[in-house]
Amino acid sequence: MSAARRCCLLRALAGFFVWRLRNTGIPQIPCRFVHLHRVANDRLITFQYFNFLKRMQLDQEKKVVYKISPVSPVHQSWSETSSRNELREVKSAAETEDSVIPVGGESREDRRWKEMKVQLDDLPGILARLSKIKLTALVVSTASAGFAMAPVPFELTCFLFTSLGTGLASCAANSINQFFEVPFDSNMNRTKNRPLVRGQISPLLAVCFAASCGIPGIALLTLGVNSLTGALGAFNIFLYTCCYTPLKRMSIANTWVGAVVGAIPPIMGWTAATGSLDAGALLLGGILYSWQFPHFNALSWGLREEYSRGGYCMMSVTHPGLCRRVALHHCFALIGLSTVAPVLDITTWTFPIISLPINLYISYLGFRFYRDADRSSSRKLFFCSLWHLPMLLLVMFTCKKSVLEKEDKGDLRGGSHEMALEIRLP
Amino acid sequence: PPAHSHSDWIGPPDKHSNLRPIIFYVPPEESALERRLREARQEAQASNQRFWARHNRAFRQEKEEFIYSRLKAKGLEMRDESGQKATLNAEEMAEFYKDFLTKNFKKHLQYNRDWYKRNFRITFLMGQVALVRALRWLRRRKKSVEQ
């Protein structure tokens, strides 16, 4: 299939999907995200949870071009678990503010005494929860987005190594995070059912699991992909476990550190594909970095009581004005970054034009949040951020400047006629 | 937990601290290392329990006092005609949350340092105990193979 025809098909598909999104996406969103709204203390989970939606659309795209099949079964299991979670969360959402301290929602199962012995059949599920498998999957998909946006021909083995390495690194980081946060997790509604909190696994086992994921993961990235990606992966693990996690309880700077943590996976995907840290990688990372702030700040607005009691230093509690200002500024930054993309030759000029409506909309909601500072505006902004990023990445991908176009441009400039002919002939 | 059990048992979350208590199993031939581990875990559990129970109680109490004083300033009672508890809206409570967090900041810093130290120490001891047990098991297997 020639490149030109592939592009046309892609564009047609993209158009179709964007149309479908507009018509079917929005009404569906609230149910899934009621769950998410309850879900968040840990920003990374929520920030990356957006990709849940993104994957559902990108899946189809990628299947056409790259034939990635493992994605769909994961998608199925997510929709099952998410609907189960929805039920659970809707139940707990019915609790009033008063019942926060007896962290509610206990079942009879919960009230029993349990033996602290590792049950081998439960172990996969326990390890999945320990490594926050859903979040990990989202991190991997962000890295894949970075890989996909890189202006190089697609290599399947490199892609698989990158995804696997990133996934393992993410598992390791999440496990260590849970290892550090046991007493704090017990006191917060969302996190009180984690394996370490419930004693389903010992801290020693958690650390061993983290090591057995992290070391092979980083080794895979360094040896199987390139050393830059491996270094970024190791750095990200360090940033998340040793900087972000302790900082959460010490200073509001944790939000910025966490935003960097979220921005690194797409950069890793890009460096895995190209082997170098280009402006394009930084732009992609920048977009994710900026996105984090409206997303998290809006979310944390509704969790101020839990943060206050748990001792977490978050902007929404200590510097509410700053919280809203930062969210708004970064909404604007998203517009700016989208405009820079064609300048850096990553996308065509259609990208800032097509993405302008959604960027303006999120900026508008950011402004409303800034002005009103109430629960409803924060919820609106949060829900918007959940579909905004997937859409933005999707549009970016469809507006991606094709590799061949760039080569042609270069040839014309260089004046090498034969090379151009070579490319045209299949 | 049943008397014949050879493992630790973990219970439902405590009402005040939200932490789950653990009942530790004391094996008859407990080595000095294992005893140190158990005692470290017991001590950590007790300390955590004390901290969080007191902290949560203080939170609840101060929250009530705050609501009461604010309602009084507004001229309202704690319960309205229907007997429902009167509450303040989120923006008014935000002031309390901010105050509470800043007031307890130093306490949290101290607790964090303590908790991290304890956590590392316990995990390290667990590692040592596991290593010793593994070596003992290997030695036993070697002996049984030789026999």
Side-chain angles (χ1 to χ4, degrees), chain A residues 97-98 100-103 106 110-117 179-184 186-187 192-193 197-199 202-204 207 245-246 249-251 301 304-305 307-314 317-320 373-375, chain B residues 1 5-13 15-23 41 48 52 55-57 59-60 63 85 87 90-91 93-94 96-98 100-102 105 108-109 111-112 115-116 119-120 122-124 126-127 130:
Chain A
E97 290 258 306
D98 285 0
V100 163
I101 293 181
V103 179
E106 284 173 24
D110 249 2
R111 280 195 285 256
R112 290 209 328 240
W113 279 78
K114 297 244 176 72
E115 194 174 4
M116 280 179 87
K117 204 153 83 169
F179 165 71
F180 281 160
E181 303 250 288
V182 178
F184 315 120
S186 336
N187 273 280
K192 63 191 166 97
N193 286 316
V197 173
R198 290 170 104 182
S202 77
L204 179 68
V207 173
T245 304
R249 311 186 57 79
M250 296 203 291
S251 140
W301 198 257
R304 284 177 285 181
E305 171 156 15
Y307 287 151
S308 168
R309 187 167 60 85
Y312 285 106
C313 296
M314 300 293 176
V317 183
T318 54
H319 297 77
D374 62 358
R375 202 178 168 85
Chain B
S5 164
H6 282 258
S7 44
D8 304 332
W9 282 70
I10 190 164
K15 204 160 43 129
H16 297 292
S17 69
N18 294 316
L19 301 173
R20 288 174 181 261
I22 300 179
I23 294 188
R41 289 172 78 190
N48 279 344
W52 285 104
H55 181 78
N56 290 339
R57 210 173 305 143
F59 183 80
R60 216 182 323 189
K63 187 177 171 194
K85 236 178 139 173
T87 51
E91 295 320 310
M93 291 309 299
F96 167 68
Y97 298 143
K98 176 178 176 176
F100 189 80
L101 190 65
T102 34
F105 182 65
H108 277 296
L109 278 184
Y111 173 75
N112 290 346
W115 157 248
Y116 271 64
N119 199 19
F120 278 128
I122 289 174
T123 312
F124 185 67
M126 277 184 173

Side-chain angles (χ1 to χ4, degrees), chain A residues 130-400:
Chain A
L130 184 69
S131 61
K132 299 190 212 168
I133 197 83
K134 290 188 209 166
L135 171 63
T136 298
L138 295 169
V139 169
V140 169
S141 68
T142 321
S144 327
F147 195 94
M149 285 306 299
V152 289
F154 180 75
E155 272 179 50
L156 186 63
T157 41
C158 189
F159 177 75
L160 289 175
F161 280 175
T162 313
S163 306
L164 189 60
T166 309
L168 287 173
S170 172
C171 285
N174 290 330
S175 308
I176 298 288
N177 169 271
Q178 290 199 19
F179 165 71
F180 281 160
E181 303 250 288
V182 178
F184 315 120
D185 284 345
S186 336
N187 273 280
M188 307 199 103
N189 232 338
R190 178 186 66 101
T191 53
K192 63 191 166 97
N193 286 316
R194 286 186 171 171
L196 280 170
V197 173
R198 290 170 104 182
Q200 289 170 321
I201 197 176
S202 77
L204 179 68
L205 214 59
V207 173
C208 289
F209 175 70
S212 65
C213 282
I215 297 174
I218 300 297
L220 185 63
L221 287 175
T222 315
L223 303 170
V225 182
N226 58 53
S227 49
L228 180 59
T229 314
L232 279 173
F235 177 65
N236 213 18
I237 295 181
F238 166 74
L239 207 60
Y240 184 52
T241 56
C242 303
C243 298
Y244 171 68
T245 304
L247 259 181
K248 275 205 292 194
R249 311 186 57 79
M250 296 203 291
S251 140
I252 58 171
N254 70 75
T255 313
W256 283 267
V257 173
V260 174
V261 174
I264 287 184
I267 298 181
M268 279 168 69
W270 184 288
T271 60
T274 63
S276 65
L277 208 58
D278 311 313
L282 295 175
L283 180 81
L284 217 58
I287 288 183
L288 262 106
Y289 175 82
S290 281
W291 176 84
Q292 297 263 33
F293 292 98
H295 176 81
F296 180 65
N297 288 355
L299 180 66
S300 66
W301 198 257
L303 293 172
R304 284 177 285 181
E305 171 156 15
E306 295 228 313
Y307 287 151
S308 168
R309 187 167 60 85
Y312 285 106
C313 296
M314 300 293 176
M315 270 194 279
S316 57
V317 183
T318 54
H319 297 77
L322 178 70
C323 177
R324 301 191 320 271
R325 246 189 343 262
V326 162
L328 182 62
H329 290 170
H330 281 272
C331 287
F332 293 152
L334 281 172
I335 301 181
L337 286 168
S338 305
T339 325
V340 172
V343 174
L344 293 175
D345 249 2
I346 305 169
T347 64
T348 59
W349 276 99
T350 50
F351 174 59
I353 298 170
I354 300 182
S355 64
L356 195 62
I358 52 176
N359 286 338
L360 281 179
Y361 183 60
I362 199 174
S363 305
Y364 165 68
L365 288 180
F367 177 69
R368 287 284 300 273
F369 176 51
Y370 174 72
R371 197 190 55 186
D372 302 337
D374 62 358
R375 202 178 168 85
S376 85
S377 57
S378 72
R379 281 168 66 108
K380 281 211 192 88
L381 180 61
F382 172 70
F383 287 169
C384 174
S385 73
L386 291 170
W387 60 257
H388 170 269
L389 186 67
M391 279 258 277
L392 190 70
L393 289 175
L394 187 68
V395 171
M396 195 183 213
F397 183 68
T398 58
C399 294
K400 175 182 174 188

Side-chain angles (χ1 to χ4, degrees), chain B residues 127-144:
Chain B
Q128 282 181 312
V129 167
L131 201 65
V132 163
R133 284 205 191 130
L135 288 171
R136 210 186 305 157
W137 179 80
L138 274 170
R139 230 174 286 147
R140 225 177 287 154
R141 255 194 80 194
K142 218 167 85 173
K143 239 186 270 173
S144 70

Side-chain angles (χ1 to χ4, degrees), chain B residues 63-98:
Chain B
K63 187 177 171 194
E64 290 290 319
E65 284 170 9
F66 179 81
I67 294 179
Y68 182 65
S69 66
R70 279 302 163 92
L71 286 175
K72 211 152 158 220
K74 283 209 271 188
L76 300 163
E77 286 300 317
M78 274 302 285
R79 286 180 190 275
D80 62 20
E81 295 89 45
S82 59
Q84 285 272 349
K85 236 178 139 173
T87 51
L88 301 170
N89 70 30
E91 295 320 310
E92 294 165 320
M93 291 309 299
E95 213 184 296
F96 167 68
Y97 298 143
K98 176 178 176 176

